[in-house]
Structure formats: structure tokens, C-alpha cells
């Protein structure tokens, strides 16, 4: 895998702006080590995979969306995969609404994270 490709740089920048919370579901994400994440949030390593930080194009690439700072946000793998699983992916705004309402009903992520106040720094 290429390191420091443009999309990786954009993803990391977006993730930092979002404080490593998913653009859609606001859950915390990890970048390199699922084990630290699973220990911190008390989930299995397998469950932690859903929360991997991925680059998400607000305007999908197939619709002409480009790799630019304005178009790339950081989303967890679960939200990213579910958006693009649809034949006709929803636009980012309506997909975000869907995720938020599902989250409120507890019907989105199959695992719930035990929220521990994150240490600062
Ligand atoms: Zn998410």
C-alpha cells in the first residue's frame, strides 16, 4: 500500500478536524491499532473493525466527486460501507440524517461502545 497518498493525507486531516469521530455516527475511530481501541472501549477486536477510520467522499467518486479537502471527510468503516452498499447511494446529507436517527433509536452499530472519557492530549 502506498503511504501518504493524497487521499490518506486528506483523510487524516479530516479526522483530526473531527477529533477522530465519525462524520455520520459521531463514534470514535482508530487509524492504526484496533487493539488499543478494543481495550479502551471494551469491545472485541472484531467489533473494533467497524470503527476503522476511512476516507469518505461527500459527493461520491462515481458522481464526479473529487479528492479535495472540501469533499473528503472521515467516516467509520461501518457507515462508509453501508452508504455505498446501496445501488443508488444516498447523498451525504440524507445519509447523515438516516444514520443519526438510527443512532437515536439504537439501531445502527451492532455493538455499543462503552464511553469512557477520553484522556486529553
Ligand atoms: Zn460511523
Amino acid at each position: 500500500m502506498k503511504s501518504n497518498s493524497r487521499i490518506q493525507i486528506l483523510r487524516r486531516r479530516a479526522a483530526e478536524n473531527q477529533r477522530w469521530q465519525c462524520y455520520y455516527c459521531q463514534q470514535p475511530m482508530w487509524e492504526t491499532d484496533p487493539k488499543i481501541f478494543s481495550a479502551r472501549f471494551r469491545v472485541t477486536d472484531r467489533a473494533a473493525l467497524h470503527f476503522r477510520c476511512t476516507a469518505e467522499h461527500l459527493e461520491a467518486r462515481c458522481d464526479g466527486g473529487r479528492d479535495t479537502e472540501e469533499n473528503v471527510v472521515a467516516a467509520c468503516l461501518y457507515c462508509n460501507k453501508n452508504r455505498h452498499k446501496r445501488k443508488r447511494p444516498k447523498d451525504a446529507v440524507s445519509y447523515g440524517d438516516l444514520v443519526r436517527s438510527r443512532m437515536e433509536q439504537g439501531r445502527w452499530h451492532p455493538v455499543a461502545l462503552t464511553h469512557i472519557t477520553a484522556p486529553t492530549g
Side-chain angles (χ1 to χ4, degrees), residues 22 25 76 79 109:
C22 172
C25 69
C76 73
C79 289
H109 277 286

Side-chain angles (χ1 to χ4, degrees), residues 22-27 50 75-80 99 108-109:
C22 172
Y23 181 80
Y24 296 117
C25 69
Q26 313 292 313
Q27 297 301 291
H50 293 304
C76 73
L77 182 64
Y78 187 81
C79 289
N80 194 338
V99 172
W108 189 240
H109 277 286

